[in-house]
Amino acid sequence: MSSVAVEGLAKSFGAATALHPTDLAIEDGEFVVIVGPSGCGKSTLLRLIAGLETPSAGRVLIGGRDVTALEPAARGIAMVFQSYALYPHLSVAENIAFPLRMAKVDKEVIAAKVAAVAELLELGALLDRRPRALSGGQRQRVSIGRAIVRDPAVLLLDEPLSNLDAGLRVRMRHEFARLHQRLGATMIYVTHDQIEAMTLANRIVVMAHGRVEQVGAPLDLYAAPATIRVAEAIGSPAMNLLPVRIARADAAGAVVTLPGGAETHVAVHVPPTAVGAAATLGVRPEHLHPDPGGPFGGRVELFERLGPLSFAHLGEAGTLGSIVAQLPSDRQVTLGEALCFSVAAVNAHLFAEDGAAYPRLTP
Ligand code: ATP
């Protein structure tokens, strides 16, 4: 187990900056998930920590030791890739043993370690097979086995489940949670998947445009995103974002005018200078409540039933752009039907023109 810290870490490819100078401290044994849109620098940050890329500036510390100049193999880390990267001509046992053989570990020690890893990952019955005779989930378990066989202090995972089908993803997600509990290793995990991020992470790192936007516990980021980009990255379906104008401020927060002229309250503090300014209102689909006189209205353009929940997509018929509202599964809805919703002030978010959230009023 080890802490991981990056200090002023940056990476450019020619004139393009993939990672702006970044500071991040990850505690020993933490499970940190990095999320953000495609191209925001997630893999670059992970590869810099692994030593697979050379930084343009800054340092990487593992267990308090500066490893910036060390080769990947000398850093005490292991990495699991989306593509598994198994050796096709080697058996499962040989694939798992490979890093130990490279390190010239004794044969008996290798056999014992492979057996222990196979038991942990339930691969015992598959040890003689070649990778092509395995399912996607089994292959990914082998690549995890190969990563953990050297007892890495830090395990880096780059979208390890994205090649698997939905059912297998759920099972493997549970396995990662169990693996983290059993190994106690520090884990840094890159994903596009909301549910993986929310359920696996002790803390989530949200990145955008090569910068860290916010770091925090999953529910803290969900409840109080610091910027529009964090609001967009956390929560599924995504938060509705509407252009508004700040009409006035009072003791209960801000009153904003929606595109159609209706008003709604937001429990945030806005300075007097912001009154009259344009802003972005954020409301999650699950916080829109059916309310015949509510300010959020439109006609149903699309209706999605997911079983326990349903989502109505409301179109332009009102004066708002498209918004998504969550409904109970037993609510009957017809396409074209007009629906209205309201939101409690404490569940609404307000972002200034630069994307920063106005501070929430403390209850
Ligand atoms: P994705 O979710 O699509 O995997 P990401 O957030 O992991 O994206 P990175 O792979 O870190 O993003 O890439 C960040 C930026 O750096 C991108 O604009 C990418 O095109 C660029 N980049 C990454 N690797 C290289 C490289 N070897 N040469 C040039 N540009 C690169």
Side-chain angles (χ1 to χ4, degrees):
M1 293 202 281
S2 260
S3 61
V4 176
V6 307
E7 296 177 355
L9 194 67
K11 179 69 182 175
S12 297
F13 294 101
T17 304
L19 187 70
H20 292 278
T22 294
D23 294 317
L24 185 64
I26 295 170
E27 284 172 32
D28 194 2
E30 235 189 325
F31 199 136
V32 164
V33 176
I34 304 175
V35 299
S38 188
C40 70
K42 305 182 294 292
S43 297
T44 300
L45 175 56
L46 208 62
R47 292 170 62 80
L48 286 166
I49 294 171
L52 299 172
E53 299 282 1
T54 311
S56 309
R59 306 198 298 161
V60 177
L61 296 110
I62 296 180
R65 185 170 66 122
D66 187 340
V67 299
T68 318
L70 296 186
E71 290 295 313
R75 295 187 178 201
I77 50 118
M79 191 149 169
V80 176
F81 300 90
Q82 172 183 346
S83 58
Y84 320 139
L86 299 176
Y87 299 103
H89 57 290
L90 298 183
S91 68
V92 167
E94 288 163 338
N95 264 287
I96 295 173
F98 193 81
L100 299 177
R101 278 196 16 231
M102 288 292 103
K104 309 237 179 312
V105 173
D106 278 354
K107 276 205 170 117
E108 298 83 67
V109 177
I110 293 181
K113 287 250 179 203
V114 169
V117 165
E119 192 189 332
L120 180 70
L121 295 169
E122 293 173 21
L123 289 167
L126 306 173
L127 286 172
D128 295 328
R129 291 211 199 155
R130 296 276 184 278
R132 68 170 179 278
L134 301 176
S135 71
Q138 290 165 339
R139 280 180 211 174
Q140 191 54 292
R141 287 219 294 274
V142 177
S143 78
I144 295 164
R146 190 181 51 188
I148 64 176
V149 75
R150 292 187 71 186
D151 300 322
V154 180
L155 193 55
L156 306 178
L157 305 117
D158 196 355
E159 303 202 36
L161 304 184
S162 56
N163 282 343
L164 306 179
D165 66 44
L168 204 49
R169 282 185 86 118
V170 174
R171 285 211 296 283
M172 291 297 292
R173 195 174 82 217
H174 297 165
E175 286 189 23
F176 276 123
R178 266 204 304 276
L179 195 65
H180 180 243
Q181 281 167 6
R182 283 198 238 169
L183 296 178
T186 309
M187 292 199 185
I188 310 177
Y189 187 110
V190 167
T191 185
H192 277 106
D193 188 292
Q194 291 287 320
I195 300 176
E196 283 170 26
M198 293 301 283
T199 57
L200 288 172
N202 299 127
R203 283 190 304 157
I204 295 178
V205 175
V206 181
M207 292 185 66
H209 302 303
R211 295 179 204 278
V212 170
E213 287 279 312
Q214 194 176 2
V215 182
L219 290 180
D220 290 343
L221 298 193
Y222 173 85
T227 67
I228 287 189
R229 290 176 188 139
V230 177
E232 288 172 324
I234 303 290
S236 177
M239 184 185 280
N240 294 294
L241 296 169
L242 308 168
V244 295
R245 200 155 280 284
I246 299 174
R248 57 191 181 279
D250 61 23
V255 177
V256 299
T257 311
L258 298 171
E263 292 185 338
T264 195
H265 253 100
V266 192
V268 294
H269 175 76
V270 292
T273 50
V275 172
T280 302
L281 176 73
V283 183
R284 295 196 183 278
E286 56 273 35
H287 292 146
L288 283 169
H289 291 293
D291 174 357
F296 301 89
R299 292 193 182 277
V300 177
E301 284 186 334
L302 177 69
F303 189 60
E304 297 174 304
R305 271 189 207 289
L306 302 188
L309 298 172
S310 300
F311 293 99
H313 296 244
L314 307 178
E316 304 271 356
T319 40
L320 299 170
S322 174
I323 56 174
V324 181
Q326 181 177 310
L327 293 169
S329 62
D330 55 0
R331 175 73 162 82
Q332 296 301 319
V333 169
T334 47
L335 287 183
E337 180 179 347
L339 293 179
C340 284
F341 297 86
S342 58
V343 65
V346 291
N347 286 330
H349 304 261
L350 193 64
F351 303 96
E353 284 187 288
D354 66 0
Y358 285 107
R360 307 199 67 78
L361 293 180
T362 39

